[in-house]
Amino acid sequence: MKKNTFRLLLRETSSFLLFFLMVGFVVSCCMMLFLNVLSVQMGLTYTAENIAGAAKITFLNVLIITILFKTVDFVRRKIMVDRPVKKITEATEKITGGDFSARVEPLRGAGMEGFHQVGEAINAMAAELGGVETLRSDFIANVSHEMKTPLAVMQNYGTLLQTPELSEQARVEYAKIITESSRRLADMMTNILKLNRLENQQIYPKFRLFDLGEQLCECLLLYENVWESKGIEITTEIADDISVNADEELLALVWNNLFSNAFKFTEEGGRVSLSLAADGDYATVKVSDTGCGISAEVGSHMFEKFYQGDTSRATQGNGLGLALVKRVIDIMEGEIGVQSALGEGTTFTVRIRRNKDGLQQAH
């Protein structure tokens, strides 16, 4: 505190001396010029006594003018510099302390344009940091919540497995439940890492030409055991010779997530449909199922991270798959939409810009 006071006193003294020297120089020059004119043009002579008296009066005038200038400068700095700097400093200190709701008050008036721009920039930064902090808090809360369920299941059934009189059938069933919970936990961690890398641009797409219909068939065949075990009917309508210039690996994530959801939420004996068609400059892919469907409210939020509007579905997913799908489609500069109604199934439509020349001609 004493050090700051000393610095302030030193600064004010230096400023005063600077004003004094400047005013003294200007006034002295003016007086010398005035006396020279009088002596040359009017023939006046001055005694040493008269000059000494005039010097004292001149010094007093310089001192008064300096004090006046210094006072005006002090008031100016207090109003036009110190006050806006104090407001900006107080707001930035609150932001540094984690209060992202802090804002710099509008700084209006002549000479305040620069400070006002700084304040607006700080307010924009605080708003952005507040949004990031909210997303971070929600993300941590959602991850923690999603991890609790499979961990609790694994803990409970692990405890039951230790029961001595447990039958072999029950033991196998409990082991399957633990395995499924651990798989769900592993899938969630994998999706979190992929989504984080995509959002932070740590995955750079590798674009190349490939046959989209062929990729869709390969991804669909990965779920052959699933549709056979549930007796689900498969219908496909895939146009030939539709190629796209995209990242094949990232796009496979999209189809795998959509197929996984379709088979997961379609009851036994239901139907899953896949179609691919050329639509102008785009290749349009539709994945439909005859599952339970979703409401319009849920559909408007389903691409958000961890969103699970239907609690009955919560045990079958972690709300990250569709967020990952949306991010990949955005990277590919494509479009994705969903049409659904409760009890009538769901249809996802993906549009990717296609290569009109065809795969063979491109090679």
Short mmCIF file of all heavy atoms in Angstrom, two decimals, residues 230 232 261-272 288-292:
data_model
loop_
_atom_site.label_atom_id
_atom_site.label_comp_id
_atom_site.label_asym_id
_atom_site.label_seq_id
_atom_site.Cartn_x
_atom_site.Cartn_y
_atom_site.Cartn_z
N LYS A 230 -34.15 -61.04 -33.97
CA LYS A 230 -35.41 -60.36 -33.63
C LYS A 230 -36.48 -60.55 -34.70
O LYS A 230 -37.61 -60.06 -34.54
CB LYS A 230 -35.16 -58.87 -33.41
CG LYS A 230 -34.24 -58.55 -32.22
CD LYS A 230 -34.02 -57.06 -32.04
CE LYS A 230 -35.28 -56.36 -31.58
NZ LYS A 230 -35.03 -54.95 -31.21
N ILE A 232 -36.63 -59.27 -37.68
CA ILE A 232 -36.95 -57.98 -38.30
C ILE A 232 -36.83 -58.09 -39.82
O ILE A 232 -35.86 -58.65 -40.35
CB ILE A 232 -35.99 -56.89 -37.78
CG1 ILE A 232 -36.21 -56.67 -36.28
CG2 ILE A 232 -36.19 -55.57 -38.54
CD1 ILE A 232 -35.25 -55.68 -35.64
N ASN A 261 -29.59 -47.65 -33.78
CA ASN A 261 -30.82 -47.14 -33.19
C ASN A 261 -32.05 -47.80 -33.81
O ASN A 261 -33.02 -48.14 -33.11
CB ASN A 261 -30.91 -45.62 -33.38
CG ASN A 261 -30.00 -44.87 -32.44
OD1 ASN A 261 -29.60 -45.39 -31.39
ND2 ASN A 261 -29.64 -43.65 -32.79
N ALA A 262 -32.02 -47.97 -35.12
CA ALA A 262 -33.18 -48.57 -35.80
C ALA A 262 -33.46 -49.97 -35.29
O ALA A 262 -34.60 -50.32 -34.97
CB ALA A 262 -32.94 -48.58 -37.31
N PHE A 263 -32.43 -50.80 -35.18
CA PHE A 263 -32.62 -52.18 -34.71
C PHE A 263 -32.88 -52.24 -33.20
O PHE A 263 -33.61 -53.10 -32.72
CB PHE A 263 -31.39 -53.03 -35.05
CG PHE A 263 -31.25 -53.30 -36.52
CD1 PHE A 263 -30.14 -52.86 -37.22
CD2 PHE A 263 -32.24 -53.99 -37.22
CE1 PHE A 263 -30.01 -53.10 -38.58
CE2 PHE A 263 -32.12 -54.24 -38.58
CZ PHE A 263 -31.01 -53.79 -39.26
N LYS A 264 -32.30 -51.29 -32.48
CA LYS A 264 -32.46 -51.28 -31.03
C LYS A 264 -33.90 -50.99 -30.62
O LYS A 264 -34.43 -51.59 -29.69
CB LYS A 264 -31.53 -50.22 -30.43
CG LYS A 264 -31.45 -50.21 -28.92
CD LYS A 264 -30.55 -49.08 -28.45
CE LYS A 264 -29.14 -49.25 -28.97
NZ LYS A 264 -28.25 -48.16 -28.53
N PHE A 265 -34.55 -50.06 -31.33
CA PHE A 265 -35.88 -49.62 -30.93
C PHE A 265 -37.01 -50.20 -31.78
O PHE A 265 -38.16 -49.79 -31.65
CB PHE A 265 -35.93 -48.09 -30.96
CG PHE A 265 -34.93 -47.45 -30.04
CD1 PHE A 265 -33.98 -46.57 -30.54
CD2 PHE A 265 -34.92 -47.74 -28.69
CE1 PHE A 265 -33.04 -45.99 -29.71
CE2 PHE A 265 -33.99 -47.16 -27.84
CZ PHE A 265 -33.05 -46.29 -28.35
N THR A 266 -36.68 -51.16 -32.64
CA THR A 266 -37.71 -51.86 -33.41
C THR A 266 -38.04 -53.17 -32.72
O THR A 266 -37.14 -53.96 -32.40
CB THR A 266 -37.22 -52.14 -34.85
OG1 THR A 266 -36.94 -50.89 -35.50
CG2 THR A 266 -38.29 -52.88 -35.65
N GLU A 267 -39.32 -53.38 -32.48
CA GLU A 267 -39.75 -54.60 -31.78
C GLU A 267 -39.57 -55.81 -32.69
O GLU A 267 -39.39 -55.69 -33.91
CB GLU A 267 -41.22 -54.47 -31.37
CG GLU A 267 -41.52 -53.28 -30.46
CD GLU A 267 -40.85 -53.43 -29.11
OE1 GLU A 267 -40.56 -54.59 -28.71
OE2 GLU A 267 -40.59 -52.42 -28.44
N GLU A 268 -39.63 -56.98 -32.10
CA GLU A 268 -39.52 -58.23 -32.86
C GLU A 268 -40.64 -58.29 -33.91
O GLU A 268 -41.79 -57.97 -33.62
CB GLU A 268 -39.60 -59.43 -31.92
CG GLU A 268 -38.43 -59.54 -30.98
CD GLU A 268 -38.47 -60.82 -30.17
OE1 GLU A 268 -39.38 -61.65 -30.41
OE2 GLU A 268 -37.60 -60.99 -29.29
N GLY A 269 -40.24 -58.72 -35.11
CA GLY A 269 -41.21 -58.81 -36.19
C GLY A 269 -41.45 -57.49 -36.90
O GLY A 269 -42.28 -57.42 -37.81
N GLY A 270 -40.72 -56.46 -36.53
CA GLY A 270 -40.88 -55.15 -37.16
C GLY A 270 -40.12 -55.06 -38.48
O GLY A 270 -39.69 -56.08 -39.05
N ARG A 271 -39.93 -53.84 -38.97
CA ARG A 271 -39.29 -53.65 -40.27
C ARG A 271 -38.33 -52.46 -40.21
O ARG A 271 -38.64 -51.43 -39.64
CB ARG A 271 -40.33 -53.43 -41.36
CG ARG A 271 -39.70 -53.32 -42.76
CD ARG A 271 -40.77 -53.18 -43.85
NE ARG A 271 -41.46 -51.91 -43.78
CZ ARG A 271 -42.68 -51.74 -43.30
NH1 ARG A 271 -43.37 -52.81 -42.85
NH2 ARG A 271 -43.25 -50.56 -43.27
N VAL A 272 -37.17 -52.65 -40.85
CA VAL A 272 -36.19 -51.58 -41.00
C VAL A 272 -35.92 -51.41 -42.49
O VAL A 272 -35.66 -52.40 -43.19
CB VAL A 272 -34.87 -51.88 -40.25
CG1 VAL A 272 -33.80 -50.87 -40.62
CG2 VAL A 272 -35.10 -51.88 -38.74
N SER A 288 -35.30 -46.02 -42.04
CA SER A 288 -36.61 -46.01 -41.39
C SER A 288 -36.79 -47.26 -40.54
O SER A 288 -36.23 -48.32 -40.84
CB SER A 288 -37.73 -45.93 -42.44
OG SER A 288 -37.56 -44.81 -43.28
N ASP A 289 -37.58 -47.11 -39.49
CA ASP A 289 -37.93 -48.27 -38.66
C ASP A 289 -39.39 -48.18 -38.26
O ASP A 289 -40.03 -47.13 -38.41
CB ASP A 289 -37.02 -48.35 -37.41
CG ASP A 289 -37.21 -47.16 -36.48
OD1 ASP A 289 -38.31 -46.99 -35.93
OD2 ASP A 289 -36.23 -46.39 -36.29
N THR A 290 -39.92 -49.26 -37.76
CA THR A 290 -41.32 -49.31 -37.30
C THR A 290 -41.36 -49.40 -35.78
O THR A 290 -42.22 -50.05 -35.21
CB THR A 290 -42.04 -50.52 -37.91
OG1 THR A 290 -41.33 -51.73 -37.56
CG2 THR A 290 -42.13 -50.41 -39.42
N GLY A 291 -40.41 -48.73 -35.14
CA GLY A 291 -40.34 -48.75 -33.68
C GLY A 291 -41.39 -47.88 -33.03
O GLY A 291 -42.39 -47.50 -33.64
N CYS A 292 -41.12 -47.53 -31.77
CA CYS A 292 -42.11 -46.80 -30.97
C CYS A 292 -42.25 -45.34 -31.39
O CYS A 292 -43.23 -44.69 -31.05
CB CYS A 292 -41.75 -46.87 -29.49
SG CYS A 292 -40.10 -46.26 -29.11
#
